[in-house]
Amino acid sequence: MNARIGVAVMAVLLAVYIVLVGQRAYLLLISGDTVGIAMGVALVVLPLIAVWALARELWFGVRAEHLGTRLEREDALPRDEVSVRPSGRVLRGDGEAVFPTYRADVEAHPDDWAAWYRLGLAYDAAGDRRRAREAIRRAIRLESASRR
């Protein structure tokens, strides 16, 4: 739930940013000054990149949550006994301890999206967010391919 609130706040802030930058871009574009026009174009392009990045991350979150919900319905989420912080995050040492199990599962079943998703959860629990996102992205790709 906290992640959703954070995403909503970021989306609202990005919308405010786009409106404010859009106003400045318009003023620079109509200024008639070459440098002003170039800056106005840059102010149009940069928010577009920001919107693309936010949309990509939101879509990733929706798809990852969909797979997590599916695994939960199928009772296929990890059930390892791990200690957690008051925030709910797994203690890093416990996350690292369960990691080899999920890595071995992926090595045994490289085309199984559920194995990749669980590996992503293990990476996240071990504190490696970059690899966690890569594994979850792979799970999303594999699951999408299996539906075709």
Side-chain angles (χ1 to χ4, degrees):
M1 185 58 132
N2 288 338
R4 286 185 182 189
I5 292 170
V7 168
V9 168
M10 291 304 293
V12 168
L13 289 174
L14 180 61
V16 169
Y17 166 77
I18 290 169
V19 168
L20 294 174
V21 169
Q23 290 173 339
R24 294 291 176 212
Y26 174 75
L27 293 173
L28 288 167
L29 287 170
I30 65 169
S31 70
D33 181 38
T34 306
V35 173
I37 292 171
M39 289 175 64
V41 169
L43 287 179
V44 169
V45 172
L46 293 175
L48 291 175
I49 293 170
V51 167
W52 169 81
L54 179 63
R56 183 173 182 252
E57 289 305 308
L58 289 174
W59 186 236
F60 167 77
V62 166
R63 291 171 24 203
E65 185 175 355
H66 169 74
L67 293 186
T69 302
R70 185 172 162 190
L71 283 179
E72 186 176 26
R73 275 194 319 260
E74 296 171 2
D75 200 29
L77 285 174
R79 294 177 180 251
D80 303 301
E81 292 295 324
V82 293
S83 302
V84 294
R85 294 186 178 111
S87 66
R89 299 267 311 151
V90 175
L91 290 175
R92 189 176 192 146
D94 286 359
E96 290 171 351
V98 299
F99 176 78
T101 303
Y102 298 105
R103 184 180 53 216
D105 189 25
V106 163
E107 289 170 355
H109 308 98
D111 295 329
D112 181 10
W113 69 265
W116 279 99
Y117 190 90
R118 288 187 290 266
L119 179 64
L121 294 177
Y123 271 127
D124 188 52
D128 192 341
R129 301 302 293 274
R130 184 184 61 80
R131 285 194 175 124
R133 294 176 69 79
E134 287 174 11
I136 301 284
R137 280 194 172 90
R138 179 100 180 245
I140 291 168
R141 284 192 307 272
L142 289 170
E143 192 273 340
S144 294
S146 71
R147 284 186 288 145
R148 293 180 198 166

